[in-house]
Amino acid sequence: MIEQISKQKIFDVIKSIDSKIVQKIIIFDEVTSTNNEAKKLIQNGEEEGTIILALTQKTGRGRFQRIWESPKGGLYFSIILKPTVSPEKTTLLPLVGALAVSSTLRSYGLSAEIKWPNDVRVRKKKIAGILLESDAYKSHLHYVILGIGVNLNIDINVLSDEIKNKTTSLFQEHHAVDYVKFLKELLLQLDTYYLLFLNEEYETIISEWKKQSDTMNRRVKIVSSTDEIIGAAYNVDNSGFLLVITDSGEYKKIMSGDCLYFDEL
Ligand code: BTN
């Protein structure tokens, strides 16, 4: 099932796409984490638009210090971004990433849905995730690393028991897909939504995001390291923050946390 991925084909695709953000790609057979590699490259002056892609990761990282299992067949990459925006604007970028992934999956006929802020799921099972890491000093944003992992041509049975039941892949839902074609489509989608971001078309992004998300009007439990909030999710603002009305009628703006749906607990 795992196709032989041609690095040359990937280089050719990157050259052929007319993209504002994608400038170059660096491909590894295996890394610890593409986000780690991106960080190292940035320290050596790497500029916006470089993609670091690996066929497998030894210690792929997810949100909340979770492990992102990264067997061969999956798509793992990080893109270096250096938008000239203030650091607080970057909170929208994980939603931009999720939207690009979800749109790509939908173009393959899958009913992908986004769980706030950036979990992409199919039939309530996670198929892709986004890990954003950034560095800023005061009002100056140094860089953003947008790490994207998609369970592409993966047999779910190779994953650990811990995540097997709540995870799916394109192979599982559809059939094995052409890795390079999928990457191309995803980068084009990313380009579209990132341009909207650069043009400050935040409302358009949020409205698209809401169309592809199943979080609105859901009873949710948001778990963070300091807090647990239970209520109804009624909106997402232009920063990508989730607006919740709690059971006691309090309005809360949630900036980060693990979003759980009550009907799935
Ligand atoms: C999550 O949903 O928890 C986020 C998962 C992000 C995984 C990707 S794979 C490419 C990049 N490198 C990493 O180590 N993590 C991200």
Side-chain angles (χ1 to χ4, degrees), residues 233-250:
Y234 68 92
N235 211 350
V236 169
D237 70 11
N238 281 352
S239 300
F241 299 152
L242 186 66
L243 307 180
V244 171
I245 176 159
T246 67
D247 293 347
S248 56
E250 264 182 289

Side-chain angles (χ1 to χ4, degrees), residues 24-28 31 33-39 41-42 46-47 49-54 57 76-80 145-148:
K24 107 182 197 205
I25 190 158
I26 302 172
I27 307 169
F28 293 93
V31 290
S33 148
T34 55
N35 271 33
N36 295 350
E37 287 304 321
K39 238 175 256 177
L41 286 161
I42 289 167
E46 199 66 44
E47 286 303 337
T50 298
I51 292 179
I52 298 92
L53 178 143
Q57 302 183 110
Y76 315 107
F77 70 91
S78 303
I79 178 155
I80 296 171
I145 298 170
L146 190 68
I148 299 185

